[in-house]
Amino acid sequence: MVIKLDLSKVPSTLKSVIMHQSKFAERIQPEPNQPGIVIIQDENGSENGINDVKRIITDILIQSKIRDFVAITDPVDPQKILIIGKKDAERLDSFHCHHCGMEFIDEIQLGIHQRLHLPF
């Protein structure tokens, strides 16, 4: 399975963090006609391949303490992952927890979830 990763809206420092991640380094190829897009070959060929890659990217963003960008599935192409600004994702009805990266469809669900991260 081929998964496209759109890095066109990502700063170069973040691009290098993602591109040189050991889990991706040997599987990434640039898209020939689109410089901001790379192709990741999914070795397992599983149906969850895109979700697995999106989870890895989300983990990279969290570990790197990058809260301004999130990974979402492209609403037009289900085999493409977009890394876009958090505010841009919210305009597409995709809300993300900055603690764990979990995705929600509205702010109410996100607010309820974020209370779970607060100590009692």
Side-chain angles (χ1 to χ4, degrees):
M1 173 187 270
V2 174
I3 299 168
K4 293 181 181 181
L5 179 61
D6 187 345
L7 298 169
S8 61
K9 296 184 173 38
V10 177
S12 59
T13 53
L14 180 54
K15 273 185 199 176
S16 68
V17 168
I18 293 169
M19 297 279 287
H20 296 96
Q21 193 65 324
S22 62
K23 294 176 183 171
F24 291 137
E26 62 276 354
R27 296 188 293 162
I28 286 184
Q29 302 169 353
E31 176 75 32
N33 298 326
Q34 297 173 320
I37 297 178
V38 295
I39 296 173
I40 300 172
Q41 295 290 336
D42 182 26
E43 300 167 341
N44 302 333
S46 69
E47 292 183 22
N48 287 336
I50 193 156
N51 292 328
D52 294 342
V53 171
K54 191 164 67 166
R55 184 74 230 170
I56 291 169
I57 292 169
T58 299
D59 291 344
I60 293 168
L61 295 172
I62 291 170
Q63 290 168 0
S64 302
K65 296 182 178 16
I66 298 169
R67 295 183 175 193
D68 297 336
F69 289 90
V70 294
I72 64 168
T73 304
D74 188 343
V76 177
D77 182 0
Q79 294 302 316
K80 184 193 273 186
I81 298 172
L82 303 174
I83 301 178
I84 59 176
K86 199 172 205 172
K87 295 292 182 191
D88 294 330
E90 289 172 359
R91 280 188 226 116
L92 295 171
D93 293 329
S94 180
F95 299 85
H96 291 78
C97 175
H98 63 270
H99 296 288
C100 66
M102 199 166 175
E103 186 175 1
F104 298 93
I105 59 171
D106 61 34
E107 288 181 280
I108 295 169
Q109 288 181 347
L110 175 62
I112 292 168
H113 167 81
Q114 286 181 328
R115 289 184 197 148
L116 297 173
H117 290 292
L118 297 175
F120 292 96

